[in-house]
Amino acid sequence: KAGVTQTPRYLIKTRGQQVTLSCSPISGHRSVSWYQQTPGQGLQFLFEYFSETQRNKGNFPGRFSGRQFSNSRSEMNVSTLELGDSALYLCASSTRTSGSTDTQYFGPGTRLTVL
Amino acid sequence: EDQVTQSPEALRLQEGESSSLNCSYTVSGLRGLFWYRQDPGKGPEFLFTLYSAGEEKEKERLKATLTKKESFLHITAPKPEDSATYLCAVQGYSGAGSYQLTFGKGTKLSVIP
């Protein structure tokens, strides 16, 4: 079974630009969560999408947004990039079975560098 | 707010020298506690899920245990290939339908031949 895939793997942008990252979940998984990982803050939750709807959101500014398509693929967008947005952006997918504990499986990440 | 604290931040072991990593947590209703392994430049790789105090799970040289306030990842006779950052995360009942993970900052393990 193929794992979670993320594209692109590496991105270099300049301040003020915007960027779109893509995530394809494991086949059959309908939930996609996004996390930001930096050396100082560790892994921080951005948001979760399930059945094309945002279900939960972390404490990030509105410049960070996302969406999910009918095939469960998800995109994350960051507008007006700042130097502090440089990070590894990780996508995780899960089955999100109601009432049960939900194991999330991570992709390899997209390394974003903002200059 | 859910919180996870991992210790030590870094650990150097000789090959074959067993040790334990600690993960202490506070969560409003534990749905599950997760251990992941992360290699440099890669995404976290799932290791274990623990659901309730007293539970234990094993995989090769790793054994994870859970109490009401903390979890331990025991590494028996480690090998250099066990070198990685080990991440602990909790999933709590933090809101209606919420499934987010709260992560600790990890323990960076180095196993020296």
Side-chain angles (χ1 to χ4, degrees):
Chain A
K1 204 174 196 181
V4 178
T5 58
Q6 293 187 245
T7 57
R9 293 294 313 280
Y10 303 92
L11 267 178
I12 299 176
K13 293 286 187 179
T14 57
R15 279 182 300 174
Q17 288 187 310
Q18 74 167 20
V19 67
T20 299
L21 313 181
S22 180
C23 172
S24 293
I26 292 171
S27 177
H29 285 192
R30 295 170 61 196
S31 170
V32 173
S33 297
W34 289 89
Y35 295 83
Q36 180 195 66
Q37 186 175 31
T38 59
Q41 298 299 318
L43 267 155
Q44 293 184 290
F45 173 74
L46 280 158
F47 32 66
E48 182 212 359
Y49 284 85
F50 177 73
S51 292
E52 302 176 62
T53 302
Q54 187 180 90
R55 301 290 176 157
N56 196 22
K57 190 176 192 304
N59 296 324
F60 279 82
R63 300 185 297 106
F64 292 82
S65 63
R67 60 177 175 168
Q68 186 180 35
F69 303 94
S70 58
N71 62 358
S72 295
R73 189 177 71 84
S74 177
E75 287 182 348
M76 189 190 92
N77 184 273
V78 187
S79 62
T80 319
L81 284 166
E82 301 178 357
L83 295 178
D85 297 333
S86 295
L88 181 67
Y89 289 89
L90 291 159
C91 163
S93 77
S94 67
T95 57
R96 208 184 198 273
T97 305
S98 177
S100 73
T101 302
D102 191 53
T103 297
Q104 297 185 15
Y105 297 90
F106 284 81
T110 294
R111 171 72 64 185
L112 173 64
T113 302
V114 182
L115 302 176
Chain B
E1 184 179 316
D2 301 345
Q3 289 191 324
V4 178
T5 303
Q6 292 188 246
S7 61
E9 290 184 14
L11 181 62
R12 284 172 62 93
L13 298 173
Q14 289 294 127
E15 184 172 0
E17 179 188 2
S18 302
S19 187
S20 295
L21 314 183
N22 177 264
C23 169
S24 60
Y25 64 91
T26 55
V27 64
S28 53
L30 181 68
R31 189 192 291 267
L33 184 141
F34 302 81
W35 282 98
Y36 288 86
R37 168 194 170 127
Q38 187 174 26
D39 293 299
K42 297 187 177 182
E45 174 189 344
F46 171 71
L47 293 173
F48 304 108
T49 307
L50 301 168
Y51 300 94
S52 57
E55 189 174 2
E56 299 183 352
K57 287 195 176 174
E58 288 189 65
K59 179 181 178 179
E60 296 180 356
R61 294 177 293 282
L62 301 176
K63 182 167 105 173
T65 62
L66 181 65
T67 72
K68 287 187 178 178
K69 294 183 179 180
E70 55 192 350
S71 176
F72 293 93
L73 184 66
H74 307 278
I75 303 177
T76 302
K79 298 182 178 182
E81 53 261 42
D82 294 322
S83 297
T85 295
Y86 290 85
L87 297 167
C88 172
V90 295
Q91 190 174 68
Y93 292 93
S94 55
S98 171
Y99 284 75
Q100 74 180 77
L101 291 174
T102 300
F103 279 86
K105 295 198 174 178
T107 294
K108 184 175 181 181
L109 174 66
S110 301
V111 182
I112 313 301

